[in-house]
Short mmCIF file of all heavy atoms in Angstrom, two decimals:
data_model
loop_
_atom_site.label_atom_id
_atom_site.label_comp_id
_atom_site.label_asym_id
_atom_site.label_seq_id
_atom_site.Cartn_x
_atom_site.Cartn_y
_atom_site.Cartn_z
N SER E 86 -36.57 -32.63 -123.18
CA SER E 86 -36.59 -34.01 -122.72
C SER E 86 -35.21 -34.21 -122.09
O SER E 86 -34.24 -34.33 -122.76
CB SER E 86 -36.80 -34.92 -123.95
OG SER E 86 -36.46 -36.24 -123.59
N PRO E 87 -35.17 -34.24 -120.78
CA PRO E 87 -33.88 -34.08 -120.12
C PRO E 87 -33.09 -35.39 -119.99
O PRO E 87 -33.59 -36.45 -120.27
CB PRO E 87 -34.27 -33.61 -118.71
CG PRO E 87 -35.58 -34.24 -118.47
CD PRO E 87 -36.27 -34.36 -119.80
N GLU E 88 -31.85 -35.23 -119.56
CA GLU E 88 -30.98 -36.36 -119.31
C GLU E 88 -31.64 -37.25 -118.22
O GLU E 88 -32.14 -36.77 -117.22
CB GLU E 88 -29.63 -35.85 -118.79
CG GLU E 88 -28.67 -36.97 -118.38
CD GLU E 88 -27.26 -36.43 -118.28
OE1 GLU E 88 -27.04 -35.45 -117.56
OE2 GLU E 88 -26.38 -37.04 -118.90
N GLY E 89 -31.63 -38.55 -118.45
CA GLY E 89 -32.20 -39.45 -117.44
C GLY E 89 -33.71 -39.56 -117.54
O GLY E 89 -34.37 -40.17 -116.71
N ARG E 90 -34.31 -38.91 -118.54
CA ARG E 90 -35.73 -38.98 -118.89
C ARG E 90 -36.67 -38.33 -117.85
O ARG E 90 -37.65 -37.72 -118.19
CB ARG E 90 -36.16 -40.44 -119.11
CG ARG E 90 -35.37 -41.04 -120.24
CD ARG E 90 -35.38 -42.53 -120.19
NE ARG E 90 -34.38 -43.10 -121.07
CZ ARG E 90 -33.77 -44.24 -120.82
NH1 ARG E 90 -34.01 -44.89 -119.69
NH2 ARG E 90 -32.89 -44.71 -121.65
N ARG E 91 -36.40 -38.58 -116.60
CA ARG E 91 -37.18 -37.94 -115.50
C ARG E 91 -38.69 -38.09 -115.70
O ARG E 91 -39.47 -37.14 -115.55
CB ARG E 91 -36.81 -36.48 -115.39
CG ARG E 91 -35.35 -36.25 -115.13
CD ARG E 91 -35.08 -34.82 -114.74
NE ARG E 91 -35.06 -34.74 -113.30
CZ ARG E 91 -34.04 -34.41 -112.54
NH1 ARG E 91 -32.91 -34.03 -113.13
NH2 ARG E 91 -34.10 -34.33 -111.27
N ILE E 92 -39.10 -39.34 -115.97
CA ILE E 92 -40.53 -39.63 -116.00
C ILE E 92 -41.05 -39.60 -114.59
O ILE E 92 -40.36 -40.01 -113.67
CB ILE E 92 -40.73 -41.03 -116.62
CG1 ILE E 92 -40.24 -41.08 -118.05
CG2 ILE E 92 -42.14 -41.54 -116.47
CD1 ILE E 92 -40.92 -40.06 -118.94
N PHE E 93 -42.26 -39.12 -114.37
CA PHE E 93 -42.87 -39.21 -113.04
C PHE E 93 -43.22 -40.64 -112.77
O PHE E 93 -44.17 -41.17 -113.41
CB PHE E 93 -44.07 -38.28 -112.90
CG PHE E 93 -43.72 -36.85 -113.10
CD1 PHE E 93 -44.17 -36.16 -114.21
CD2 PHE E 93 -42.92 -36.14 -112.20
CE1 PHE E 93 -43.85 -34.81 -114.43
CE2 PHE E 93 -42.56 -34.82 -112.42
CZ PHE E 93 -43.03 -34.15 -113.49
N PRO E 94 -42.59 -41.31 -111.84
CA PRO E 94 -42.72 -42.76 -111.73
C PRO E 94 -44.13 -43.20 -111.24
O PRO E 94 -44.61 -44.25 -111.63
CB PRO E 94 -41.66 -43.19 -110.72
CG PRO E 94 -41.33 -41.92 -109.97
CD PRO E 94 -41.57 -40.80 -110.89
N ARG E 95 -44.76 -42.37 -110.38
CA ARG E 95 -46.06 -42.79 -109.83
C ARG E 95 -47.18 -42.11 -110.54
O ARG E 95 -48.30 -41.95 -109.99
CB ARG E 95 -46.06 -42.51 -108.33
CG ARG E 95 -45.10 -43.40 -107.55
CD ARG E 95 -45.20 -43.18 -106.05
NE ARG E 95 -44.77 -41.85 -105.65
CZ ARG E 95 -43.49 -41.49 -105.51
NH1 ARG E 95 -42.56 -42.40 -105.71
NH2 ARG E 95 -43.18 -40.28 -105.14
N MET E 96 -46.96 -41.70 -111.77
CA MET E 96 -48.05 -41.20 -112.59
C MET E 96 -48.19 -42.10 -113.78
O MET E 96 -47.21 -42.69 -114.24
CB MET E 96 -47.80 -39.79 -113.09
CG MET E 96 -47.94 -38.73 -112.02
SD MET E 96 -47.88 -37.12 -112.85
CE MET E 96 -47.89 -36.06 -111.41
N THR E 97 -49.41 -42.22 -114.29
CA THR E 97 -49.59 -43.03 -115.46
C THR E 97 -49.00 -42.33 -116.68
O THR E 97 -48.63 -41.17 -116.66
CB THR E 97 -51.09 -43.27 -115.76
OG1 THR E 97 -51.70 -42.00 -116.02
CG2 THR E 97 -51.77 -43.90 -114.58
N VAL E 98 -48.87 -43.12 -117.76
CA VAL E 98 -48.40 -42.58 -119.03
C VAL E 98 -49.28 -41.35 -119.42
O VAL E 98 -48.77 -40.29 -119.78
CB VAL E 98 -48.46 -43.64 -120.13
CG1 VAL E 98 -48.28 -43.04 -121.52
CG2 VAL E 98 -47.39 -44.70 -119.87
N TYR E 99 -50.58 -41.57 -119.29
CA TYR E 99 -51.50 -40.47 -119.64
C TYR E 99 -51.24 -39.24 -118.80
O TYR E 99 -51.17 -38.14 -119.33
CB TYR E 99 -52.93 -41.01 -119.41
CG TYR E 99 -54.02 -39.99 -119.69
CD1 TYR E 99 -54.37 -39.64 -120.96
CD2 TYR E 99 -54.67 -39.40 -118.63
CE1 TYR E 99 -55.36 -38.72 -121.22
CE2 TYR E 99 -55.68 -38.47 -118.87
CZ TYR E 99 -56.03 -38.13 -120.16
OH TYR E 99 -56.98 -37.19 -120.36
#
Side-chain angles (χ1 to χ4, degrees):
Chain E
S86 165
E88 177 164 52
R90 301 159 193 149
R91 304 193 93 118
I92 296 303
F93 298 113
R95 292 184 295 279
M96 285 192 186
T97 62
V98 167
Y99 178 75

